[in-house]
């Protein structure tokens, strides 16, 4: 039995070594298949949408009515400030779930089945990230609709709102790779959630999302200026409120590209080690 088992393992190793690498077209097809798998999970577990449906409604109303008078003098004057900030916060909160769900799948042994499949290494990671675009779009749409219901009238018009909406989704997808990487290195889903919260709170609350940068201490302003979330918020404000494509939009897109360039390879490499 020992000899047969050893010979069988040798054959498996040789077959895996000789297996051709997936082409770009095959990689894209496999990624889409993994994304479809993730959307099926969402449909069967509607509670996965709670953080992108209930939270935008709650945070938009809560922050607007609590801080509106103190910061801008009225809720109406505060809405152009807070709506882009809530968009960035909800996108960041939604992309946290990517790493948590990835770790849960790995703990349940789902990824062990992928080991026997001749698929691209990045497909099981990029697929859920692609499917989560639906969640980011839902969160951004509800946030804008709540703002409109509260009296928010974007100066950028329809095109400006659509551009800000799209930038929010791109930012969420980019930042999700940070949490995807955490999902591959953490020991449990609870650990991923704890680490993600420690990342999310400084990035969102130590930014210009809720208060003007000029009201903060000098040392904190230095951090806010380099915070990628601040660039995303400023870019969304320029697009939605004014309809202008400013330098902040370029900085936000550049920051998103840098995050993907760093953390996507790290996530794939960490995942491949466990495969």
């Amino acid at each position: 039995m020992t000899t047969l088992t050893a010979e069988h393992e040798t054959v498996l190793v040789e077959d895996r070594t000789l297996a051709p690498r997936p082409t770009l077209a095959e990689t894209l097809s496999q990624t889409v298949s993994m994304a479809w798998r993730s959307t099926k999970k969402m449909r069967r577990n509607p509670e996965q949408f709670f953080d992108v449906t209930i939270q935008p409604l709650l945070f938009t109303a809560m922050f607007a009515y609590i801080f509106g008078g103190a910061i801008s003098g009225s809720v109406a004057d505060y809405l152009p400030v807070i709506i882009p900030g809530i968009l960035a916060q909800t996108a960041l909160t939604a992309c946290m779930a990517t790493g948590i769900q990835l770790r849960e799948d790995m703990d349940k042994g789902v990824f062990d089945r992928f080991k026997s499949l001749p698929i691209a290494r990045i497909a099981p990671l990029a697929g859920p990230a692609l499917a989560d675009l639906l969640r980011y779009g839902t969160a951004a749409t509800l946030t804008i609709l709540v703002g409109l219901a509260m009296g928010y009238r974007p100066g950028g018009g329809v095109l400006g709102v659509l551009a800000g909406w799209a930038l929010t989704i791109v930012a969420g997808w980019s930042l999700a790779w940070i949490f995807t990487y955490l999902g591959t290195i953490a020991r449990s889903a609870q650990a991923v959630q704890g680490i993600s919260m420690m990342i999310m709170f400084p990035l969102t609350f130590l930014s210009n999302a809720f208060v003007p940068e000029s009201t903060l201490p000098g040392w904190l302003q230095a951090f806010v200026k380099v915070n990628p979330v601040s660039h995303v918020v400023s870019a969304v404000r320029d697009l939605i409120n004014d309809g202008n494509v400013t330098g902040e939009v370029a900085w936000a897109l550049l920051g998103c590209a840098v995050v993907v360039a760093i953390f996507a390879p790290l996530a794939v490499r960490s995942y491949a080690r466990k495969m």
Side-chain angles (χ1 to χ4, degrees):
M1 289 296 292
T2 304
T3 305
L4 291 175
T5 303
E7 291 176 355
H8 181 60
E9 291 177 352
T10 303
V11 172
L12 288 178
V13 172
E14 290 177 352
D15 290 343
R16 185 177 299 178
T17 303
L18 296 176
R21 291 179 177 273
T23 64
L24 178 59
E26 291 173 340
T27 300
L28 294 176
S29 176
Q30 293 158 7
T31 299
V32 172
S33 297
M34 290 295 177
W36 179 250
R37 170 184 175 270
S38 295
T39 59
K40 291 179 67 176
K41 289 178 59 181
M42 294 178 189
R43 294 196 300 269
R44 294 174 180 175
N45 298 281
E47 62 271 12
Q48 292 187 8
F49 282 97
F50 285 175
D51 61 334
V52 296
T53 54
I54 305 301
Q55 181 174 300
L57 307 180
L58 177 63
F59 279 12
T60 303
M62 182 176 64
F63 282 110
Y65 286 117
I66 291 177
F67 298 124
I71 295 176
S72 298
S74 67
V75 174
D77 293 333
Y78 188 51
L79 289 176
V81 177
I82 191 61
I83 295 300
I86 295 295
L87 285 172
Q89 185 194 40
T90 53
L92 186 59
T93 304
C95 68
M96 284 173 45
T98 304
I100 297 173
Q101 293 171 8
L102 171 65
R103 184 68 255 177
E104 288 178 348
D105 280 347
M106 297 179 71
D107 291 340
K108 292 177 181 178
V110 175
F111 279 75
D112 291 334
R113 299 182 180 181
F114 296 154
K115 295 179 182 180
S116 60
L117 300 177
I119 60 176
R121 298 291 190 186
I122 196 173
L125 304 180
L130 181 62
D132 280 344
L133 292 178
L134 176 62
R135 302 177 72 250
Y136 309 147
T138 301
T141 300
L142 288 177
T143 300
I144 295 173
L145 291 178
V146 172
L148 293 175
M150 295 174 64
Y152 176 48
R153 297 297 179 263
V158 176
L159 292 179
V161 172
L162 289 177
W165 177 85
L167 180 58
T168 301
I169 295 175
V170 170
W173 180 83
S174 303
L175 294 173
W177 284 104
I178 299 176
F179 303 105
T180 298
Y181 173 62
L182 291 177
T184 62
I185 62 174
R187 295 185 178 181
S188 64
Q190 291 78 8
V192 177
Q193 184 175 14
I195 298 173
S196 298
M197 295 295 289
M198 289 190 295
I199 294 175
M200 186 201 70
F201 277 110
L203 286 179
T204 54
F205 288 99
L206 300 184
S207 69
N208 61 353
F210 305 109
V211 298
E213 177 186 320
S214 58
T215 63
L216 302 175
W219 60 271
L220 187 53
Q221 290 185 28
F223 175 80
V224 171
K225 291 179 180 179
V226 298
N227 187 343
V229 175
S230 296
H231 291 294
V232 172
V233 173
S234 298
V236 173
R237 282 176 182 154
D238 292 339
L239 291 171
I240 295 182
N241 294 332
D242 304 320
N244 296 328
V245 181
T246 62
E248 287 293 343
V249 177
W251 279 113
L253 293 175
L254 177 62
C256 292
V258 170
V259 169
V260 174
I262 293 175
F263 286 96
L266 288 175
V268 174
R269 184 179 304 174
S270 177
Y271 165 74
R273 289 174 183 168
K274 300 180 184 301
M275 290 289 283

